[in-house]
Amino acid sequence: MGEVAGRGGPTDDGASFMNLRVAEEAHGAKQLRNVSDYGGVSYYSDAEGNGLTAALAMPKSMAHLMACDLMKLIASAHVLPLPSAMPGAATAAVVDSRRCTRHAEGPATVLAIGTANPANICPQDEFTDYYFGLTKSEHLTELKDKMKRICQKSGIEKRYIHLDDQLIRAHPEIIDKNLPSLKLVPKLAESAARKAITEWGRPATDITHLIFSTYSGWRAPSADLQLATLLGLRPTVSRTILSLHGCSGGSRALQLAKEIAENNHGARVLVALSELTLVCFSTPDESKIVGHGLFRDGAGAIIVGADPLADGERPLFEMVAASQTMIPGTEHALGLQATDKGIDFHLSIQVLTVIKDNIHQCLLDAFQSVGNKDPNWNDLFWAVHPGGRAILDNIEGKLQLEPGKLAASRHVLSEYGNMSGAMIAFVLDELHRRREKEEGVQQQPEWGVMLAFGPGITVEAMVLRNPFSTGIN
């Protein structure tokens, strides 16, 4: 097979580039395939298996400008560097090329969602009696009546709870707030993850990164390693554990997954979210009665990846841009603290006012990053963490949203209660289900937003896009 050498010297960028085009035509790109890249040289073989090599013979300035396109051109040529080439130019060009190809070819997308809950279901109107009975606190009648009122106004109809009489008998230390075994945190996440992997349609070993967010476990080895073992992920999977982000943990994990997917070509990120209120369980207390009336158990799993999509992969939501805003001076309003006796949480009535007063500006900042300085909030679909009915009511009123815009969030709150960071997976799943039912009848809007609120007070926002509207599908 003939050889073509680049004849451009250190300053003859145009000649080198033109000779590479000649080389492409001489060898026919379709007949060659890339075998490997090593030390500044790319190795190729033709249809008959004959080995070819290609190296860049051009100055660094040209390599910097054209590395990405150039590597596609030299794939069809046997180009030998001449002595006149600038030292190190070949290596620099290949490095620049790899920097280009290391990034994904498109935006991050949600590829699959799975959810899971414990088997034990408790209707909300029965939960107060259930809770005060478990803790043997029926004599606290005034506190019990207050909790009943909280439950009645919560917008929750039923909740899933791991804790029951059998567990209390087996672990009486739970009532005393000594840290109980939390082996079920990764086990619950496993159930959600397997559903997401099944929907995804690829083997678990194709997962390259794992992000596990939970406030329910803080130990080493942590829940991310336990989950990776349960799922049979590769030993080389890159693991990250996020702790004590509270209700914003799911959104924080998704923003990190977006950045990983878009900056690592071919990456597939499993976001696991699992919460058990077992670690916060205690006897009735005036300062914690609201939390006990709202929070419950659940797990979600979301697989995130960017282009190119493999066979069978189907994007559910495009993740366009994300932002995080901490409202100054609100550290005391909402918090979680890990102690030797479990997790203590604090929830102030101020949370409602802070979110209502700041949500509009937080959203404006998020959409400004994509060039939209004056969005119409009713032109969007909404995935809002339903921290409570009052939070949803305040957001709906502040932004003057039409009835039904927060329907997915209200449904999840009603059916499951507040599952902290895992909630966002349930809301996204509900939006996806509703879109599937509405297909051909009433299309969801092209643009949307995801919101969650955590300790700080921190507002997590992500601009989403409907892939059916963008043509990604």
Side-chain angles (χ1 to χ4, degrees):
M1 202 168 195
E3 298 180 357
V4 178
R7 302 188 182 281
T11 60
D12 192 1
D13 293 351
S16 295
F17 186 62
M18 288 303 296
N19 282 332
L20 287 170
R21 286 193 175 277
V22 171
E24 179 189 23
E25 295 175 1
H27 293 288
K30 293 182 179 180
Q31 297 180 5
L32 300 178
R33 66 183 182 89
N34 179 251
V35 178
S36 65
D37 298 297
Y38 181 75
V41 177
S42 294
Y43 297 87
Y44 300 87
S45 65
D46 59 17
E48 287 74 35
N50 298 316
L52 303 171
T53 61
L56 295 177
M58 60 192 311
K60 184 178 180 181
S61 61
M62 186 67 177
H64 178 73
L65 293 172
M66 311 189 71
C68 295
D69 291 335
L70 197 54
M71 289 305 292
K72 297 177 182 178
L73 295 175
I74 66 171
S76 56
H78 184 176
V79 183
L80 303 179
L82 298 180
S84 60
M86 181 179 293
T91 300
V94 173
V95 169
D96 283 344
S97 172
R98 286 177 179 171
R99 284 173 181 161
C100 293
T101 58
R102 187 168 55 197
H103 297 283
E105 297 175 16
T109 60
V110 172
L111 298 173
I113 304 172
T115 61
N117 298 94
N120 189 23
I121 302 175
C122 182
Q124 181 74 338
D125 59 3
E126 300 175 9
F127 180 75
T128 300
D129 292 332
Y130 178 83
Y131 169 62
F132 276 75
L134 277 180
T135 58
K136 303 186 185 309
S137 304
E138 292 93 337
H139 60 286
L140 301 175
T141 56
E142 185 176 340
L143 199 58
K144 184 177 180 180
D145 289 341
K146 181 177 180 180
M147 186 167 179
K148 280 190 174 182
R149 292 193 297 271
I150 291 172
C151 289
Q152 289 170 357
K153 298 177 181 179
S154 66
I156 301 170
E157 292 187 8
K158 63 181 180 181
R159 293 191 282 174
Y160 293 78
I161 181 172
H162 173 64
L163 192 64
D164 56 18
D165 290 320
Q166 183 178 354
L167 187 61
I168 288 291
R169 287 194 297 270
H171 297 278
E173 71 275 9
I174 294 175
I175 301 297
D176 297 328
K177 291 198 63 179
N178 288 323
L179 183 65
S181 170
L182 292 173
K183 293 180 181 179
L184 282 170
V185 172
K187 286 292 291 183
L188 194 60
E190 179 194 10
S191 298
R194 291 198 181 280
K195 292 178 182 178
I197 291 170
T198 298
E199 179 184 330
W200 181 37
R202 292 174 60 179
T205 50
D206 283 354
I207 296 293
T208 61
H209 296 72
L210 169 62
I211 303 173
F212 200 132
S213 176
T214 180
Y215 68 71
S216 305
W218 35 284
R219 54 174 293 182
S222 53
D224 58 322
L225 177 58
Q226 297 173 57
L227 178 60
T229 302
L230 289 169
L231 293 174
L233 304 186
R234 291 181 297 173
T236 56
V237 68
S238 179
R239 296 178 290 107
T240 301
I241 185 76
L242 301 179
S243 299
L244 300 182
H245 283 267
C247 292
S248 63
S251 294
R252 179 97 297 261
L254 285 173
Q255 178 170 348
L256 180 57
K258 166 183 166 60
E259 294 171 357
I260 291 174
E262 292 179 348
N263 285 282
N264 294 271
H265 189 277
R268 292 299 180 264
V269 187
L270 172 60
V271 174
L273 316 165
S274 183
E275 303 294 4
L276 288 178
T277 51
L278 183 62
V279 74
C280 300
F281 191 80
S282 66
T283 53
D285 184 290
E286 182 75 28
S287 65
K288 301 179 179 65
I289 199 73
V290 175
H292 285 308
L294 295 177
F295 290 101
R296 216 64 276 155
D297 305 337
I302 299 173
I303 296 175
V304 175
D307 285 341
L309 299 178
D311 290 342
E313 288 187 319
R314 179 170 176 253
L316 307 182
F317 299 96
E318 180 183 336
M319 307 162 75
V320 181
S323 67
Q324 182 190 70
T325 303
M326 193 279 285
I327 310 302
T330 63
E331 294 89 341
H332 64 284
L334 177 62
L336 298 166
Q337 182 176 353
T339 71
D340 59 352
K341 296 184 181 299
I343 299 291
D344 283 336
F345 60 85
H346 172 67
L347 180 63
S348 168
I349 191 66
Q350 185 186 3
V351 172
L352 300 175
T353 304
V354 170
I355 292 176
K356 181 178 181 179
D357 291 345
N358 290 275
I359 190 62
H360 188 264
Q361 187 59 52
C362 290
L363 286 168
L364 287 178
D365 292 342
F367 275 88
Q368 188 169 356
S369 67
V370 295
N372 190 344
K373 297 182 179 181
D374 187 25
N376 185 329
W377 305 129
N378 282 302
D379 288 343
L380 308 176
F381 62 85
W382 291 81
V384 180
H385 168 78
R389 190 184 71 178
I391 289 178
L392 296 179
D393 290 344
N394 281 356
I395 291 175
E396 189 175 75
K398 181 68 174 183
L399 302 178
Q400 298 182 357
L401 297 180
E402 298 169 353
K405 281 294 179 179
L406 302 184
S409 296
R410 294 187 186 278
H411 173 79
V412 170
L413 178 65
S414 172
E415 291 295 303
Y416 302 96
N418 187 338
M419 296 172 288
S420 192
M423 287 284 278
I424 202 64
F426 284 75
V427 176
L428 289 173
D429 191 44
E430 180 64 21
L431 275 173
H432 168 56
R433 293 175 184 275
R434 290 175 181 236
R435 185 172 63 198
E436 293 286 299
K437 293 179 180 179
E438 295 168 357
E439 190 172 359
V441 180
Q442 182 182 0
Q443 290 274 330
Q444 279 186 1
E446 177 180 356
W447 293 92
V449 64
M450 181 176 70
L451 286 171
F453 318 100
I457 295 171
T458 300
V459 179
E460 298 274 358
M462 183 178 291
V463 179
L464 302 175
R465 203 174 186 188
N466 186 344
F468 296 94
S469 301
T470 62
I472 294 178
N473 197 51

